Amino acid sequence: MRPAVERTEEGGRAEADDRALVERLRARDAAALETLMERHSSRVYRVAFGITRNHPEAEEVVQDVFLTLFRKIDMFEGRAALGTWLYRVAANAALIKRRGKRVELEVSLEDSLPTFRDDGHREGDRAMLVADWSPTPESELLSGEARRTLEQALDRLPEHYRALLVLRDVEELSNEEVAEVLGESVASVKSRLHRARMALREVLTRRLGAGHPA
């Protein structure tokens, strides 16, 4: 793993390069837009797909984001990093696209959280209660049937909670950056992120822990 100082220096150089490209884009330099797309399109796609769970829709979001960047570059004031601004546009575009669809797989987050009896013990059959998949190697969890189970678990979460997980746990943005992208308070991000992680783990426990097929 690279030292934090080195990563910070690289990030600073990347932001400086982005600022120079933004100035070129303000002058309607199409080559600057191409360079920015090469730099940021993969991350924009990951966010879009993480929310829409649909490859064609995620590709549409990427196109929309960079078209918006080209058309509305004067609206970018530079107070936040360009990457953060692109995340915000991508998340909003993906959420809007989801709202326009009938989503049958998604369930209320409450349905995915663990439930407890009056005596404080967790509800569920014994096989699920004693299940412990936490030692499962990451390579195993992210491949084959387990990977499909993880994808299905993500599909079941409401899109706003998926957005939190993608931005925080996949893109590794800070709580403050996620709050800025989604237009929420840091306290709200922390609270909802905790619930989203609990719900995801619960869905995985029900499926992997109980030995259910993906």
Side-chain angles (χ1 to χ4, degrees):
M1 181 178 294
R2 290 173 299 170
V5 172
E6 181 180 338
R7 294 198 302 271
T8 301
E9 290 177 351
E10 287 185 2
R13 286 195 295 270
E15 286 190 22
D17 290 344
D18 279 350
R19 286 194 294 270
L21 288 166
V22 164
E23 291 308 312
R24 288 171 53 191
L25 193 57
R26 292 187 198 278
R28 292 297 184 254
D29 183 344
L33 180 63
E34 292 179 7
T35 302
L36 288 169
M37 289 182 68
E38 291 173 0
R39 286 186 170 204
H40 297 283
S41 60
S42 61
R43 285 182 291 176
V44 170
Y45 178 86
R46 287 196 302 268
V47 171
F49 179 74
I51 296 172
T52 64
R53 311 300 298 164
N54 181 286
H55 291 291
E57 289 184 357
E59 291 172 356
E60 289 179 8
V61 169
V62 173
Q63 294 174 10
D64 292 345
V65 166
F66 287 100
L67 183 60
T68 298
L69 177 64
F70 185 75
R71 289 178 173 175
K72 300 184 178 181
I73 187 60
D74 291 334
M75 294 179 62
F76 175 63
E77 299 177 353
R79 288 180 297 191
L82 178 65
T84 302
W85 190 81
L86 291 174
Y87 277 134
R88 184 186 306 129
V89 176
N92 287 336
L95 289 168
I96 289 172
K97 194 169 288 291
R98 287 295 288 187
R99 293 189 197 109
K101 305 290 183 180
R102 182 184 177 193
V103 183
E104 297 179 348
L105 286 176
E106 289 180 4
V107 297
S108 166
L109 193 75
E110 298 297 330
D111 295 337
S112 297
L113 291 172
T115 56
F116 298 87
R117 299 196 297 264
D118 292 339
D119 61 7
H121 288 86
R122 189 181 183 281
E123 294 280 3
D125 58 47
R126 178 167 178 76
M128 186 168 68
L129 294 180
V130 300
D132 181 14
W133 49 267
S134 57
T136 304
E138 183 177 347
S139 58
E140 182 178 335
L141 185 60
L142 296 180
S143 63
E145 292 298 315
R147 175 57 182 264
R148 282 188 283 275
T149 298
L150 177 61
E151 296 288 343
Q152 291 170 358
L154 284 169
D155 285 341
R156 291 176 62 82
L157 296 181
E159 65 264 23
H160 276 83
Y161 287 92
R162 282 203 304 275
L164 281 167
L165 289 171
V166 170
L167 293 169
R168 188 68 178 86
D169 294 341
V170 177
E171 297 303 310
E172 298 183 336
L173 271 63
S174 67
N175 289 328
E176 290 75 15
E177 289 171 323
V178 174
E180 184 175 357
V181 168
L182 297 180
E184 300 182 10
S185 68
V186 174
S188 174
V189 165
K190 290 180 178 179
S191 174
R192 297 204 303 126
L193 180 63
H194 176 67
R195 289 170 60 80
R197 286 170 174 165
M198 282 182 60
L200 183 60
R201 183 178 180 86
E202 176 68 9
V203 173
L204 290 173
T205 296
R206 292 174 186 177
R207 292 175 176 244
L208 296 179
H212 293 165

